[in-house]
Amino acid sequence: MYIAECPKVGTVDQGATIEEAIANLKEATRLYLEESPLVETTPRLV
C-alpha cells in the first residue's frame, strides 16, 4: 500500500500502487474542495 498526501489541503488517500494512490488523492481532494472551498466565492465589486 502507498499513501499520498496533499499538505496544503490536508487530504490523504491510499492505493495499491503509487499511481492509484495519486489518483485516489486527486479524487478525494476534488470532493473535499467541492464541500469546503478554500477560495472565497463571494462576489466582489470592482
Side-chain angles (χ1 to χ4, degrees):
M1 291 301 283
Y2 293 90
I3 296 177
E5 177 183 14
C6 181
K8 284 190 175 184
V9 179
T11 50
V12 178
D13 215 319
Q14 64 184 13
T17 65
I18 292 173
E19 293 80 11
E20 183 181 350
I22 292 170
N24 291 343
L25 176 63
K26 286 179 180 180
E27 178 69 5
T29 302
R30 183 186 66 78
L31 292 170
Y32 174 79
L33 291 176
E34 283 180 4
E35 294 296 319
S36 303
L38 295 176
V39 178
E40 184 177 323
T41 57
T42 307
R44 295 183 345 181
L45 298 174
V46 178

